[in-house]
């Protein structure tokens, strides 16, 4: 919840669910996957129908999805796709459009030169898609010889 957009998204989501007659029970794991697993047990005990899960670890969260499904709870994978399981819905932003917009902005500011791209974590598919979009958008500029770039990812 330290990222500026998350409290805003929480408030908009909560308001819309209430407007539609539902109730939201919100919990933040503070980017701690052990805490997130513990919260799952607590939230299931409250008798929920739908779990909106923004996974701390998209691979380990698959077990959380399986536990929720055993309880008859639908799961929405929010922001990051949970790997190795069947989520009911995946809801995210358009990572390709964002990568393209970021690259176009940089090219408008500095049309020719060398770029260093500090990409996201390779385990986060949104980061991978943004990085791929950046590389795709830059490729024609690199082929022309006007630009060079280096992409470095977090691991």
């Amino acid at each position: 919840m330290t990222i500026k957009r998350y409290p805003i998204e929480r408030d908009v989501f909560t308001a819309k669910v209430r407007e539609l007659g539902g109730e939201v029970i919100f919990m933040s794991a503070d980017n701690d996957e052990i805490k997130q697993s513990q919260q799952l047990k607590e939230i299931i005990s409250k008798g929920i129908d739908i779990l909106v899960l923004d996974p701390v670890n998209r691979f380990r969260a698959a077990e959380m999805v399986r536990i929720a499904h055993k309880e008859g709870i639908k799961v929405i994978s929010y922001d990051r796709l949970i790997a190795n399981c069947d989520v009911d819905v995946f809801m995210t932003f358009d990572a390709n459009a964002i990568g393209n917009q970021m690259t176009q902005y940089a090219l408008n500011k500095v049309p020719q030169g060398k770029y260093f791209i500090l990409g996201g974590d390779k385990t986060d598919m949104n980061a991978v898609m943004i990085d791929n979009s950046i590389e795709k958008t830059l490729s024609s500029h690199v082929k022309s010889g006007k630009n060079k770039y280096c992409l470095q990812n977090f691991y």
Side-chain angles (χ1 to χ4, degrees):
M1 293 303 291
T2 59
I3 298 173
K4 188 176 182 177
R5 68 175 248 239
Y6 285 122
I8 295 167
E9 291 172 17
R10 176 203 56 211
D11 294 347
V12 169
F13 178 83
T14 300
K16 187 63 177 179
V17 169
R18 284 185 182 144
E19 177 186 316
L20 295 171
E23 178 186 351
V24 173
I25 302 168
F26 177 83
M27 295 179 166
S28 174
D30 301 316
N31 211 31
D32 179 335
E33 64 187 85
I34 294 169
K35 183 177 179 180
Q36 192 169 50
S37 289
Q38 293 166 342
Q39 287 174 333
L40 176 68
K41 293 172 188 159
E42 181 182 344
I43 201 82
I44 285 175
S45 72
K46 295 181 184 286
I48 63 169
D49 299 310
I50 300 170
L51 174 67
V52 179
L53 180 60
D54 185 355
V56 173
N57 181 317
R58 74 183 194 95
F59 297 102
R60 293 195 179 125
E63 181 59 23
M64 297 173 71
V65 172
R66 287 188 276 279
I67 290 168
H69 280 165
K70 282 181 188 173
E71 296 293 326
I73 299 167
K74 300 288 186 191
V75 179
I76 298 172
S77 180
Y78 180 75
D79 202 27
R80 296 180 193 102
L81 179 61
I82 302 169
N84 304 321
C85 66
D86 293 322
V87 296
D88 297 289
V89 175
F90 175 43
M91 210 168 129
T92 193
F93 54 84
D94 187 341
N96 292 317
I98 289 173
N100 185 3
Q101 290 171 358
M102 290 167 61
T103 307
Q104 290 301 328
Y105 180 84
L107 288 169
N108 288 341
K109 292 291 183 184
V110 182
Q112 294 183 13
K114 297 177 184 177
Y115 301 91
F116 178 79
I117 303 158
L118 187 58
D121 187 333
K122 284 186 173 183
T123 65
D124 182 343
M125 288 311 298
N126 291 333
V128 170
M129 289 187 287
I130 289 171
D131 293 347
N132 290 343
S133 178
I134 290 170
E135 289 186 279
K136 183 179 177 183
T137 305
L138 273 178
S139 67
S140 64
H141 297 274
V142 171
K143 286 178 187 173
S144 72
K146 295 178 181 178
N147 304 89
K148 292 183 181 183
Y149 72 95
C150 172
L151 172 62
Q152 178 65 48
N153 293 93
F154 286 109
Y155 295 109

